[in-house]
Amino acid sequence: MTDEATMKAAMQAYVDAFNRSDAAGIADLFADDATVEDPVGSPLKSGKAAIADFYKMAVATGARLELAAPVRASHGNAAAMAFNVRLNMPEGKAHIQVIDVMTFNEAGRFASMKAYWGKSDMVLEK
């Protein structure tokens, strides 16, 4: 089982790579057979190639992630983090309040990622 320190470090590495617009660095955190559901309820992205394509598109928007609280580990193989996605929309600056939950494989790579946010979690800033 992946230890807490490894899980927290991987979650921070995810935020850091996203904020550097490093889609390849993000994809490298995932297992080859991982899945991404962002947001939950959207079509599942399966496998490293699909995940890499998803993050290429995501970082191309210029969005940035900002932790809203410390990363939380667990007694199992999962960790969670609450954060805001800061981005520019046609209507102006906005942020999306998100909670990501990642599960880990034995090698300490993300086995799955689920992003929890809905339409009401997207806020236009004044």
Side-chain angles (χ1 to χ4, degrees), residues 30 34-47 50-55 57 112-115 117:
F30 286 84
T35 59
V36 167
E37 188 178 6
D38 186 355
V40 169
S42 68
L44 199 64
K45 289 75 140 165
S46 297
I51 291 169
D53 288 344
F54 172 75
Y55 283 108
M57 179 275 307
S112 69
M113 183 277 252
K114 290 187 175 193
W117 63 275

Side-chain angles (χ1 to χ4, degrees), residues 1 15-17 21 24 28 31-32 56 59-60 65 70 75 82 91 97 101 103-104 115 122:
M1 184 180 337
V15 170
D16 295 342
S21 298
D28 285 344
D32 291 340
K56 284 178 196 168
V59 300
L65 308 184
H75 293 273
E91 303 88 343
Q97 299 164 322
V101 176
T103 61
F104 291 79
M122 184 178 290

Side-chain angles (χ1 to χ4, degrees), residues 33 53 63 121:
D33 60 347
D53 288 344
D121 298 312

